[in-house]
Amino acid sequence: MKLTQKHTIKDLTIIVVSASILFVQQLALSFIPNVQFSVLLVILYTKILGFKKTSLIIIIHVLAVNLLSPMGPVVPTLIPAMFIAWMLIPILLSTLLKHVHSAIWLSVFGFVYGFIYGWVFIPFTVWFLDVPFLPYLIWDIPFEIIMAISNMISILWLYDPLKKAFVQQLEHISESTKKMPSATS
Amino acid sequence: MKPLHLKIILTIVVLLLGYLIIDVVFDRNLIHEAGEIELIIVDEHQEIVYHNILPYEKDQTFFDLLNQKFTLMCANRFYNPDSTCSYEFNIMGQSNYVILGIKSDTFEIMTDWSKTFIKIEVYDGEKFIQATQGFNHLDISNFEKIRLIVDAPR
């Protein structure tokens, strides 16, 4: 039986490299709370790689952040919240916002998502960690605003050039893959 | 309007909006008159090791009050004990000491941050609830009682 594994290996490599970039930039910027390029990258991955691959990248990212972060693991009860929050991006961009492609509108989505990300954690924090609801809601607002602004500005200015560079790299990888001989088993 | 101009305008607007909300709405200046607060300290065995009413001065922070009354062991940037309390953690422009231990002539509590920590609870008039601010920014004039408990993360 002849099996072509080129695409599988190529896809796996792209997923792993994309997840690594996501993880490393988040760690590199973790000294500034809620300032990162994660939302920009997840939006970019969703728009270019699609829902399935982005979902796998998010699974790897959530696991990596919780297992390998030098700052220690996140509280285990918050892992589902983190996973749901990140998965909202590919879900929304593959359904309701499927036809949104402009950097300006995606940056508006990134701004709103800054608040949504914070709100997803609220029920988990309140129920599992017994944190009072209202003070938590109020004191999380500055962090949500910082994330919203960071998302909006990063998407506004970096989405288009990153998309161009990423698409070029993917095309380059596709051409290289075509030249490779098919793997057989 | 050209996309570039729109991007510049959106960037300026969003930065101004964020600055206004965080700096103006969330005013963090701690201003209060002199008063007194009931302080309860509970050790790792859930025994009350200190229970007293402490007077505080105008605009004095909770950290300053504790530092004045007790010998404190703070955390350095690596969360290791530092008796000089020379390091303040800075998050979004808010400086905060992390206190690992409190010592007096009659008692001593010590935590290691990873397995145990000092939980701050404030009395809301009916019951003790977890404080949402740390030692530097907790407005002691808003509460009658504060309880410090050696607790373990869940």
Side-chain angles (χ1 to χ4, degrees), chain A residues 33 75 103-104 111 128-132 135-136 138-139 141-143 145-146 149 152-153 156-157 160, chain B residues 3-4 6-8 10-11 14-15 17-19 21-22 26 28 90-92 94 129-130 132-133 154:
Chain A
V75 183
I104 289 167
F111 185 85
F128 295 123
L129 303 179
D130 293 334
V131 175
Y136 180 82
I138 294 167
W139 281 102
I141 291 172
F143 292 94
I145 291 170
I146 286 188
I149 293 172
M152 185 164 188
I153 293 174
L156 205 55
W157 292 100
D160 285 333
Chain B
L4 182 66
L6 190 59
K7 282 182 182 181
I8 292 168
L10 278 172
T11 304
V14 85
L15 284 173
L17 191 72
Y19 172 78
I21 295 171
I22 291 171
F26 287 86
R28 286 163 177 162
N90 194 309
I91 298 172
M92 289 169 58
Q94 265 194 308
I129 56 167
Q130 276 189 49
T132 53
Q133 287 161 301
R154 269 162 280 179

Side-chain angles (χ1 to χ4, degrees), chain A residues 4-11 13-14 169-183:
Chain A
T4 303
Q5 295 178 325
K6 279 191 299 189
H7 290 292
T8 312
I9 292 166
K10 188 190 88 176
D11 290 346
T13 310
I14 288 168
Q169 287 303 315
L170 289 176
E171 282 170 359
H172 179 70
I173 292 167
S174 294
E175 282 169 16
S176 307
T177 315
K178 279 176 195 168
K179 289 174 191 168
M180 282 171 61
S182 292

Side-chain angles (χ1 to χ4, degrees), chain A:
Chain A
M1 190 170 68
K2 189 177 178 181
L3 290 174
T4 303
Q5 295 178 325
K6 279 191 299 189
H7 290 292
T8 312
I9 292 166
K10 188 190 88 176
D11 290 346
L12 278 174
T13 310
I14 288 168
I15 287 166
V16 171
V17 170
S18 303
S20 309
I21 292 168
L22 190 61
F23 175 66
V24 169
Q25 64 79 33
Q26 183 151 327
L27 278 195
L29 291 169
S30 58
F31 66 98
I32 319 170
N34 284 17
V35 174
Q36 22 78 7
F37 297 125
S38 304
V39 176
L40 163 72
L41 289 173
V42 175
I43 289 176
L44 188 74
Y45 296 158
T46 308
K47 287 290 176 191
I48 295 171
L49 301 177
F51 178 81
K52 284 180 188 172
K53 285 177 193 164
T54 308
S55 303
L56 286 171
I57 291 168
I58 289 170
I59 290 168
I60 295 169
H61 177 67
V62 171
L63 288 173
V65 163
N66 284 284
L67 294 174
L68 305 173
S69 171
M71 294 182 182
V74 178
V75 183
T77 45
L78 297 182
I79 295 173
M82 187 186 271
F83 179 70
I84 292 167
W86 284 121
M87 278 305 293
L88 280 175
I89 298 177
I91 290 170
L92 288 171
L93 291 182
S94 306
T95 53
L96 293 173
L97 306 171
K98 197 176 180 178
H99 302 292
V100 177
H101 298 290
S102 117
I104 289 167
W105 285 111
L106 285 173
S107 73
V108 174
F109 166 74
F111 185 85
V112 176
Y113 178 79
F115 294 90
I116 295 171
Y117 183 85
W119 296 336
V120 171
F121 281 80
I122 290 176
F124 292 85
T125 314
V126 171
W127 289 333
F128 295 123
L129 303 179
D130 293 334
V131 175
F133 171 71
L134 202 60
Y136 180 82
L137 180 73
I138 294 167
W139 281 102
D140 200 38
I141 291 172
F143 292 94
E144 288 163 8
I145 291 170
I146 286 188
M147 190 177 184
I149 293 172
S150 145
N151 290 348
M152 185 164 188
I153 293 174
S154 61
I155 296 165
L156 205 55
W157 292 100
L158 298 176
Y159 178 75
D160 285 333
L162 271 181
K163 186 182 174 185
K164 195 177 166 187
F166 196 36
V167 169
Q168 275 178 355
Q169 287 303 315
L170 289 176
E171 282 170 359
H172 179 70
I173 292 167
S174 294
E175 282 169 16
S176 307
T177 315
K178 279 176 195 168
K179 289 174 191 168
M180 282 171 61
S182 292
T184 55
S185 60

